[in-house]
Amino acid sequence: MQERLKELQAEAIEKVEQASSLKELNDIRVAYLGKKGPITEVLRGMGKLSAEERPVIGAFANEVRAAISAKMEAKQAELEEAAVQAKLASETIDVTLPGRPVKLGNHHPLTKIIEEIEDLFIGMGYEVAEGPEVEQDYYNFEALNLPKGHPARDMQDSFYITEDILLRTHTSPVQARTMEKHEGKGSIKIICPGKVYRRDNDDATHSHQFMQIEGLVVGENIRMSDLKGTLEVFAKKIFGEDREIRLRPSFFPFTEPSVEMDISCKICGGHGCSVCKHTGWIEILGAGMVHPNVLEMAGYDSRVFNGFAFGMGPERIAMLKYGVDDIRHFYTNDVRFLKQFAVEE
Ligand code: DAH
């Protein structure tokens, strides 16, 4: 019996050694150690043995089982390790392969110009302020020295929502809101970019919705020369150091005196061409010293405080800077147009 068990052990171990997969190994386990296996079979015959022989054979059979099991475990670990290695080898990534190119977008030309102007003014100590696009008639007009029935209201055809609420026609209401927030105390230096709306028919130079950037400085002893110097820095930084500026007298109800700023035409160098309508100058923005009524209505003592303000259109600036001939390009979003502004990013 012992001989037979030894044979079985040798046979099983040899098979285990030759096994090449986990499945094969499991089949061997069932075949040799299972209930229907030869070892169990041998042990069934133990009844015929003497009482002295039985425990000896029993112990021996257990040793045989243990030896086969140990061999199987070792083989199993070996096969599992080999499977992991094979999997790793088959899944190797070639990190040197070039990637698939991802199409990148770019900033909208108006975003670019607004950010450029923001950066410039932030560099001069200004903060960026915001206000609502759906605005009260009070802030859009009244607080800016444009009472109901004032003829200058007609300069800005408006989208009214109710009698007292409209889509703001300019960013100037943010001036009134910001001054009011300061409750008549302390100085202010803000610029305010944002969307504005007017009842215009869209064409190459008009859009019912466009952008503006407002500027406001309030303090003590602010002078017209401060305004001029600020605008000159702005014009040269945005359009080029060789640009000249000129201020022309103008009228806005919220500033006194009021001016319009022109820059010298880059295209003809000031000699006159179709872009500058043969004047050598191109109008860029409106500005002036804040009207005392506007300061007073917002809670500032106009005997102590004064200031300057300006308002400009980023579309116009972008059109001049990049040579765009139709304002509608900014809003129809043709990718062929927008893509041209990716180069400098
Ligand atoms: N709000 C004016 C407009 O939309 C532009 C403007 C002119 C703003 C003069 C100002 C200013 O702050 O001082 O036509």
Side-chain angles (χ1 to χ4, degrees):
M1 221 173 214
Q2 215 157 344
E3 278 311 305
R4 176 71 188 130
L5 286 171
K6 266 190 192 158
E7 266 170 42
L8 284 172
Q9 175 176 352
E11 211 178 286
I13 283 176
E14 198 187 328
K15 285 204 171 145
V16 167
E17 265 165 8
Q18 282 163 7
S20 61
S21 74
L22 289 169
K23 169 156 189 340
E24 228 176 286
L25 197 62
N26 200 42
D27 290 346
I28 298 167
R29 188 193 322 274
V30 173
Y32 283 87
L33 301 179
K35 278 192 193 125
K36 289 177 190 151
I39 297 179
T40 315
E41 184 67 39
V42 171
L43 294 179
R44 276 210 194 101
M46 289 227 304
K48 293 181 201 128
L49 297 175
S50 65
E52 296 84 52
E53 268 178 324
R54 242 178 262 159
V56 179
I57 295 293
F60 187 72
N62 280 341
E63 271 170 39
V64 169
R65 280 172 172 279
I68 297 173
S69 290
K71 188 76 197 169
M72 276 188 168
E73 261 163 49
K75 186 70 184 181
Q76 179 163 346
E78 196 183 294
L79 286 173
E80 278 169 356
E81 174 63 17
V84 169
Q85 291 304 334
K87 196 160 190 248
L88 282 178
S90 72
E91 288 177 1
T92 309
I93 297 166
D94 181 356
V95 290
T96 64
L97 275 178
R100 291 194 191 94
V102 177
K103 276 191 189 153
L104 285 183
N106 58 274
H107 280 137
H108 191 278
L110 285 179
T111 306
K112 278 177 76 163
I113 205 90
I114 289 169
E115 285 183 353
E116 196 180 332
I117 295 171
E118 274 179 11
D119 283 351
L120 169 60
F121 280 99
I122 288 168
M124 293 197 279
Y126 287 66
E127 283 176 45
V128 178
E130 277 182 8
E133 287 171 32
V134 178
E135 185 55 286
Q136 296 170 34
D137 181 276
Y138 175 77
Y139 291 109
N140 196 79
F141 290 128
E142 241 161 281
L144 297 169
N145 205 24
L146 272 149
K148 285 213 159 78
H150 194 289
R153 283 190 177 211
D154 293 347
M155 287 162 71
Q156 304 181 355
D157 260 343
S158 320
F159 288 115
Y160 272 92
I161 292 165
T162 69
E163 207 172 307
D164 292 314
I165 296 174
L166 72 163
L167 296 180
R168 67 179 178 193
T169 56
H170 51 179
T171 43
S172 303
V174 186
Q175 286 189 31
R177 285 180 172 275
T178 308
M179 282 189 268
E180 206 179 74
K181 241 186 260 164
H182 275 72
E183 296 178 332
K185 291 187 281 282
S187 53
I188 298 173
K189 263 176 115 176
I190 54 153
I191 58 158
C192 162
K195 290 196 184 98
V196 301
Y197 303 82
R198 291 202 195 164
R199 249 179 48 199
D200 269 328
N201 289 324
D202 294 0
D203 62 23
T205 53
H206 294 86
S207 172
H208 62 281
Q209 180 260 297
F210 55 102
M211 307 289 289
Q212 280 194 341
I213 301 179
E214 192 80 13
L216 172 71
V217 172
V218 173
E220 294 177 40
N221 303 317
I222 307 284
R223 290 168 305 187
M224 188 87 184
S225 53
D226 296 319
L227 170 62
K228 191 177 176 192
T230 304
L231 294 182
E232 193 159 4
V233 169
F234 157 75
K236 286 180 186 283
K237 283 277 185 291
I238 298 296
F239 293 104
E241 290 297 326
D242 53 345
R243 257 26 358 210
E244 300 288 323
I245 68 159
R246 86 175 175 186
L247 300 180
R248 277 181 293 107
S250 185
F251 170 77
F252 299 102
F254 30 90
T255 44
E256 181 60 35
S258 301
V259 293
E260 274 173 294
M261 182 186 84
D262 298 338
I263 56 162
S264 54
C265 181
K266 189 176 188 161
I267 296 176
C268 60
H271 300 300
C273 66
S274 61
V275 173
C276 60
K277 300 194 187 101
H278 304 283
T279 62
W281 296 94
I282 297 171
E283 185 193 320
I284 296 293
L285 53 77
M289 302 305 288
V290 181
H291 196 294
N293 287 355
V294 173
L295 287 163
E296 293 286 341
M297 273 187 279
Y300 272 91
D301 183 346
S302 64
R303 289 165 305 180
V304 180
F305 287 94
N306 68 344
F308 65 73
F310 54 87
M312 62 180 100
E315 285 89 348
R316 187 168 166 72
I317 292 166
M319 284 168 88
L320 288 168
K321 195 171 153 100
Y322 303 128
V324 178
D325 60 1
D326 194 320
I327 193 171
R328 289 169 294 194
H329 285 314
F330 294 118
Y331 294 106
T332 44
N333 288 327
D334 185 329
V335 191
R336 290 167 302 176
F337 170 73
L338 298 176
K339 263 201 314 213
Q340 298 175 55
F341 299 90
V343 272
E344 297 166 42
E345 302 260 309

